Each structure stands twice: as C-alpha cells, then as structure tokens.
Amino acid sequence: MKTVQANGVSINVHDEGTGTPILFVHGFPLDHSMWRGQLNSLVSEFRVIAPDLRGFGATTVTDGVVTMETHADDLAALLDELGIEHSRKIILCGLSMGGYIAWQFHRKYKDRLLGLILCDTRAIADSPEVVANRKKLAATVLEHGTEPVAAAMMPNLFSAASNENRQHTVELTRQCLLATSPQGIAAASLGMAERPDVTADLPSIETPTLLIVGVEDRISTVDEMRGIADAMPNSEFFVVPEAGHMSPLENPEAVNAAIRKFAARL
Ligand code: MLT
C-alpha cells in the first residue's frame, strides 16, 4: 500500500503489477480489501489499483456530504498522481457505490476509459423513502457508531451459500464495516442520497461495459441489472452463481474469469 496526495486528500492505495490498469472502486461502507480475490489473481496480467475512497479505510475523512462526483474527481486525480497518462486508458471496475461513482467518472472522464465493469449496482436515483433512510443512517452512525450500520446492512450483503461456506469472508467484511469512520459513512450516505438518476444516459454510453450481478443480490437484483445491460448499446451481462451483493468476494473465480474474458476483447 502507499499514500498518494490527490484532490486535497491522502489516498491509501494498493497499486501493483503492470499491463492495462484496472481501477477497483469499492462499495459502501467498506475499503479496498473487498477486492482481495481480484488483486491477488489478476496482478499477473494487469496493473491492479485499489484505493480506499475518501472517508474509508486509511484515506482522509472529510465531513459533510461527499458526492459521487467528488469521488470520481478524487479517482481522476489519483490516476494523474500515479503517473497514468490520459492516453493510457484504464478499465474501471466498481461495485455498488463504486458503480454510482463509475457513472460519474464516465460522465466527466470517459476519454480515460477502455472499459467499465459494473458489479451489483444501480442506475436509478434513490426514492424519497431511501433518501430518508440514508439521512437517518447518517444521523445514527454519528450518534451511535458503526454497530447499528453493521446490524442493518450485513443481512443483505451475502448469499446463503456464502453465509454458510465463507464465514471468514463474511466476518472480515463485518470487521471492515465496524472499523470504518462514522463521519466517512455519514458523508458517503448523504452523497449517495444526492446522486442523479442515470437511466436516461444509458443508451448513449458507448464504452464497452460488463455488468456483473450475484444471482442472489437483494440490493441490486438480477432483473434490475439486466435492464441496465439491455439499455446499454455495448454491454455484456454476467450472473454470478453462489453470490449475493458482494459477488467479487463471494465467487472470485467466476468473477475473475468474466473480467479476463471481457478485458481480452477490449
Ligand atoms: C454498496 O454496497 O455500496 C451499497 O449497498 C450501496 C447503497 O447503499 O446503495
């Protein structure tokens, strides 16, 4: 890991390997370690870059509201600081909140993209009810810490198979969530609540895109993600067996094979 100053924050980032860069963007409220099943395996073929986003892991926490656009700006600045020229196009692979950030990265920096990999994410904005829940979660975490967030989120993250057979992975995820800064969680939660609906943009996204979803994902369902894939003109769609919302952690073999196949045709 190294620390890189970018866009006014100190970003903790895993950066290893050579070849086409893949920028892995983690979900809420976790850190770069959720990609360990990809980093170890794909480093032999790619430059794997996995930062802790602003407010998460060992990266600087900033208060208030951190929008998906701010995260995208952080990532573009990070690529610059890592010496990745604009002509060296990257693959951006984001999960859930990482996907919300990917839409904004595409909107502002699409010339830097060779491809997009969107795991277990959504194109729609939050409903008024979800916005209210995000605000409540932000207030709760600031007042009571991360325990209630873990209690609310953990039951929705993993498939039945993972809860049964990958208990160590499930526990590491819970520990990661518990260790996250309450201020970071609140700021990202309020930022997600403000994110725009990108559904109308999907037909005009020409960047080759792989959409990946765990067959048991209850947060961003197979049907919802198939709808995103159908609306995008240059997309592929892959359903991950024995996986829920955390598909790259739950079935890394299947996800890595899909990433390799997609990258080979870019
Ligand atoms: C995530 O995994 O990043 C979250 O489920 C995103 C969300 O709360 O919408």
Side-chain angles (χ1 to χ4, degrees):
M1 299 297 300
K2 58 185 167 194
T3 304
V4 174
Q5 306 299 322
N7 207 26
V9 287
S10 295
I11 300 182
N12 185 50
V13 59
H14 177 109
D15 175 21
E16 201 185 0
T18 55
T20 301
I22 307 185
L23 176 62
F24 290 96
V25 186
H26 64 77
F28 171 88
L30 304 172
D31 68 17
H32 77 280
S33 66
M34 63 144 285
W35 298 109
R36 59 186 166 275
Q38 283 62 54
L39 303 179
N40 292 339
S41 167
L42 297 172
V43 68
S44 53
E45 297 130 86
F46 300 94
R47 178 169 177 182
V48 292
I49 303 169
D52 293 339
L53 295 168
R54 182 189 290 248
F56 299 93
T59 289
T60 309
V61 178
T62 53
D63 284 339
V65 181
V66 177
T67 63
M68 302 302 102
E69 182 175 354
T70 297
H71 284 301
D73 291 341
D74 287 352
L75 294 175
L78 173 67
L79 294 176
D80 289 340
E81 294 302 328
L82 292 176
I84 298 175
E85 314 239 329
H86 287 228
S87 56
R88 181 53 155 148
K89 293 187 192 293
I90 66 148
I91 298 171
L92 193 158
C93 175
L95 180 129
S96 200
M97 181 180 76
Y100 310 156
I101 295 167
W103 300 127
Q104 296 309 311
F105 191 97
H106 177 273
R107 187 172 64 79
K108 294 186 82 170
Y109 307 108
K110 66 168 172 285
D111 290 349
R112 302 189 77 158
L113 288 170
L114 186 61
L116 280 170
I117 302 174
L118 301 172
C119 310
D120 303 277
T121 195
R122 317 188 77 179
I124 55 171
D126 287 342
S127 65
E129 189 191 344
V130 175
V131 168
N133 284 340
R134 300 249 196 234
K135 289 184 177 160
K136 206 160 118 195
L137 182 140
T140 302
V141 75
L142 290 175
E143 193 178 342
H144 301 290
T146 53
E147 192 78 54
V149 181
M153 287 197 71
M154 286 303 294
N156 290 323
L157 295 185
F158 290 94
S159 65
S162 296
N163 280 319
E164 176 100 12
N165 305 322
R166 290 187 182 262
Q167 287 172 10
H168 183 60
T169 299
V170 173
E171 182 53 22
L172 284 178
T173 304
R174 202 175 75 85
Q175 293 301 336
C176 179
L177 197 162
L178 288 173
T180 300
S181 151
Q183 285 78 12
I185 291 180
S189 189
L190 297 174
M192 285 192 288
E194 284 186 10
R195 76 185 191 282
D197 187 329
V198 298
T199 310
D201 303 330
L202 299 177
S204 60
I205 298 181
E206 303 282 349
T207 306
T209 302
L210 170 64
L211 294 121
I212 290 178
V213 60
V215 65
E216 287 178 46
D217 190 336
R218 290 184 292 278
I219 296 174
S220 37
T221 63
V222 170
D223 283 350
E224 184 173 334
M225 284 209 72
R226 185 181 287 112
I228 297 174
D230 287 347
M232 296 180 77
N234 199 0
S235 69
E236 295 173 31
F237 182 56
F238 178 60
V239 179
V240 187
E242 296 190 4
H245 189 60
M246 300 303 301
S247 61
L249 254 183
E250 297 180 76
N251 195 339
E253 297 79 14
V255 168
N256 293 347
I259 291 175
R260 282 194 176 92
K261 190 164 157 242
F262 173 69
R265 81 161 183 90
L266 294 176

